[in-house]
Amino acid sequence: MLMAHPAVLEELLRRYDDLKAERGKDAGEMLRRLEDVSYTLCVATGTRDIASALVAAREQLRRLVREETSAVLS
């Protein structure tokens, strides 16, 4: 399976979190941008819903950090 570059996943997660935190802005535009980033996260992680995409992206990043840490310690 293809895996998204970690920098891409980090950016998508940051954008998703930023959009979820926005309040009082143009609701229509914010919703459209949130739907776009949610869809992209699903595609990047091979999932079908945002909850699964968030879990998969965060797990992929955690796994990469563990691998890098163990490689440095070896």
Side-chain angles (χ1 to χ4, degrees):
M1 175 172 104
L2 292 176
M3 294 177 63
H5 191 279
V8 171
L9 288 179
E10 289 171 342
E11 176 62 15
L12 289 169
L13 289 170
R14 185 198 59 77
R15 286 176 35 205
Y16 180 85
D17 290 340
D18 288 350
L19 287 166
K20 288 296 281 188
E22 282 188 24
R23 298 282 186 257
K25 306 242 175 161
D26 178 7
E29 175 64 16
M30 191 273 303
L31 183 57
R32 185 194 63 75
R33 291 172 54 209
L34 186 60
E35 288 172 350
D36 286 348
V37 76
S38 296
Y39 173 80
T40 306
L41 269 166
C42 288
V43 170
T45 58
T47 58
R48 292 181 176 239
D49 62 86
I50 189 58
S52 298
L54 293 170
V55 169
R58 290 178 178 136
E59 179 55 34
Q60 183 177 335
L61 291 172
R62 275 192 295 273
R63 193 174 331 116
L64 179 66
V65 169
R66 282 193 306 263
E67 289 171 2
E68 289 176 349
T69 300
S70 91
V72 168
L73 296 176
S74 297

